[in-house]
Amino acid sequence: MDKMILKIFIVSFLFAASLPASGYNSHQNNTDIPTTWYEQNSGVTTSLRSVSAPDINNVWVCGSAGVILRTTDGGTWVSASGNLGVINLYTIYAFDANNALVAAAADSGAFAYRTSNGGTNWIRVFTNRFTLAFINSWYFKDENNGLMICDPDSSVSNNYKTTNGGLNWSPVGARFPTYFGSYPSSIYGNGNMVYYGTDDSIIFKTIDFGINWIAVPTPLRHGTISMWFNSANNCFICGVNTIAQTTNGGDIFTINSGLGSQIWVYGVTGTTNGNYWIASKNQIHYTSNNGTNWNAATTQTGDYRAITKARTGSPYLYAVRNNGGISKFGGTYTEIQQITSETKKDFSLSQNYPNPFNPVTKINFSIPKQTQVTLKVFDIPGREVSQLINQELTANNYSVNFDGSKLSSGIYFYKLETPEYHEIKRMVLVK
């Protein structure tokens, strides 16, 4: 036997023997078209209310009962609650992998906490003691200078400013009227210009970083829950049963009726030009033509509560739901295609074709009944380099395209696994 062939055979045998019977914590594909959304494993089932993504890999979320999660690789979520205890959290702002702010609310008031060590320890940096108070939104124009908007009250300010990254806060500008409360995603800024939505039909705008605010009327009947500017002129504002947009920098807003009038939007974000994403109930909707047409991008169990775009390395999007669900847009995506030929009576995994390949190859497999299926790719040391499938599939023959354009030439292994079956095959990437 040729020495190279013998070496490959030995490595394949040892690799297969060393692989665990169960999978790794990674991404689950969602195959809705035209977008590329993945379901991620958060490890919790509590309501998640806010998400902040400094870049495509470092992302933080928060929610009920003191839940704070973070990932440093764009998909492996770990607890970052540290010493906070059980308290309801409503909004989070992350600077990077280690530094973040989170807001809590209780009967005794609203509190802001900051961490500088990845959530191991949190220190209180702000207290607003009036009944059922809320810290609604943060906006930072750089790592030090930021604004914080709280629910208005007749006795305290609701606009605050920091110059040291949220460690200290002081009142700034005029107090909003007491009936202008707001929501975590209802703020957007660019430099000193900041827009802030309320639970009325008014949004506020400042061009001097919170010192002076002017009221801008909108056609939203029940207030602005979220807003997003894709450019200086183009913006969507969303609320209860109404979506509106502006093409002149917020001077005039008009109703966008593309999604109908019975939709409660918790989040909106955008990528480029006319591309916007809206998180509403159990769906994320997408437009590529500035709202002329909308498509359902993904549908999941549970209701979405927030959506955001990574501030650097975009376009990567993250959205969170009220049942612990986390959805991600961006990165490697593989569409699963059903093959209409007769389903086999047994599980099977076919050899990829072509093999060797550069950079795309096709992997076919069959499952004889509805079951949970994972299909993963590993390198020779046994490290997972891609998860192609992690979801429940019905009995059928399937085909998946694997794109190895981001990998180096070499030998890789792909593993099909269900609760009662697993098989591994080898493939070679040659560039």
Side-chain angles (χ1 to χ4, degrees):
M1 181 182 291
D2 181 88
K3 288 185 179 180
M4 184 59 186
I5 297 176
L6 178 60
K7 182 178 180 181
I8 292 173
F9 173 81
I10 293 173
V11 169
S12 302
F13 176 81
L14 292 175
F15 176 85
S18 68
L19 285 179
S22 60
Y24 295 75
N25 180 18
S26 187
H27 310 302
Q28 176 177 327
N29 286 18
N30 180 285
T31 58
D32 293 305
I33 302 300
T35 60
T36 56
W37 284 92
Y38 305 79
E39 277 303 289
Q40 300 195 308
N41 180 15
S42 70
V44 302
T45 58
T46 51
S47 179
L48 301 177
R49 296 190 177 101
S50 181
V51 54
S52 181
D55 57 63
I56 62 176
N57 292 317
N58 290 290
V59 189
W60 297 65
V61 303
C62 73
S64 299
V67 170
I68 300 177
L69 304 174
R70 71 168 184 141
T71 177
T72 57
D73 63 5
T76 304
W77 294 92
V78 298
S79 174
S81 300
N83 59 327
L84 271 183
V86 179
I87 187 170
N88 287 327
L89 306 170
Y90 290 91
T91 186
I92 194 164
Y93 182 88
F95 298 89
D96 50 40
N98 295 309
N99 294 273
L101 286 162
V102 70
D107 290 344
S108 56
F111 312 96
Y113 300 87
R114 197 185 194 285
T115 182
S116 59
N117 56 9
T120 301
N121 301 104
W122 294 86
I123 60 170
R124 186 184 296 183
V125 294
F126 178 82
T127 300
N128 196 346
R129 289 196 179 278
F130 69 92
T131 303
L132 298 178
F134 286 93
I135 297 169
N136 294 314
S137 309
W138 283 296
Y139 163 67
F140 281 82
K141 64 179 180 180
D142 55 46
E143 63 182 8
N144 292 312
N145 294 282
L147 293 178
M148 177 174 65
I149 312 296
C150 303
D151 270 359
D153 181 76
S154 58
S155 60
V156 296
S157 175
N158 61 300
N159 303 322
Y160 295 86
K161 181 180 180 180
T162 181
T163 57
N164 57 7
L167 287 172
N168 302 102
W169 296 91
S170 57
V172 62
R175 182 185 299 125
F176 292 153
T178 56
Y179 52 86
F180 285 132
S182 192
Y183 304 90
S185 300
S186 64
I187 196 167
Y188 184 88
N190 184 9
N192 289 329
M193 181 177 293
V194 183
Y195 292 84
Y196 171 68
T198 72
D199 56 11
D200 198 85
S201 60
I202 298 296
I203 64 175
F204 288 96
K205 174 183 178 181
T206 178
I207 59 174
D208 53 16
F209 203 55
I211 298 175
N212 298 287
W213 296 86
I214 59 172
V216 179
T218 79
L220 298 192
R221 298 187 294 273
H222 302 290
T224 300
I225 295 178
S226 58
M227 69 169 67
W228 184 267
F229 279 81
N230 255 357
S231 66
N233 292 319
N234 294 286
C235 167
F236 270 85
I237 59 174
C238 305
V240 181
N241 301 335
T242 317
I243 302 171
Q245 65 186 117
T246 180
T247 57
N248 57 13
D251 292 335
I252 299 175
F253 284 89
T254 58
I255 293 292
N256 181 284
S257 57
L259 287 176
S261 60
Q262 299 301 315
I263 184 168
W264 188 314
V265 178
Y266 276 96
V268 59
T269 191
T271 48
T272 57
N273 300 323
N275 298 313
Y276 288 88
W277 307 80
I278 279 177
S280 171
K281 296 294 184 181
N282 65 336
Q283 288 189 320
I284 293 176
H285 303 269
Y286 166 75
T287 180
S288 60
N289 52 18
N290 210 39
T292 301
N293 303 104
W294 294 90
N295 298 291
T298 184
T299 302
Q300 302 295 334
T301 58
D303 291 338
Y304 285 99
R305 287 295 180 259
I307 186 172
T308 193
K309 181 179 77 169
R311 298 197 297 272
T312 59
S314 296
Y316 276 60
L317 312 179
Y318 290 86
V320 296
R321 302 196 299 280
N322 66 349
N323 60 356
I326 300 177
S327 303
K328 176 183 177 180
F329 170 85
T332 304
Y333 169 73
T334 304
E335 180 184 352
I336 308 171
Q337 296 180 338
Q338 291 187 357
I339 303 172
T340 56
S341 58
E342 182 180 356
T343 304
K344 295 183 179 180
K345 296 181 180 180
D346 299 313
F347 292 98
S348 68
L349 177 64
S350 300
Q351 184 64 50
N352 65 299
Y353 180 83
N355 188 42
F357 66 99
N358 179 29
V360 178
T361 187
K362 187 182 296 292
I363 300 172
N364 294 341
F365 64 94
S366 298
I367 57 173
K369 64 179 183 179
Q370 183 169 328
T371 186
Q372 182 72 21
V373 176
T374 62
L375 180 62
K376 301 177 181 180
V377 179
F378 301 86
D379 60 14
I380 285 183
R383 296 172 300 214
E384 181 184 325
V385 298
S386 180
Q387 180 169 248
L388 305 179
I389 302 171
N390 182 10
Q391 65 189 80
E392 190 170 280
L393 298 177
T394 57
N396 212 311
N397 300 314
Y398 292 90
S399 181
V400 175
N401 288 329
F402 170 63
D403 185 349
S405 57
K406 295 183 179 180
L407 301 175
S408 58
S409 296
I411 299 170
Y412 294 89
F413 300 86
Y414 56 99
K415 179 183 181 182
L416 179 70
E417 185 173 18
T418 74
E420 56 193 279
Y421 168 87
H422 71 270
E423 186 172 354
I424 300 168
K425 290 189 179 293
R426 180 181 62 88
M427 58 184 175
V428 181
L429 173 62
V430 178
K431 293 185 175 181

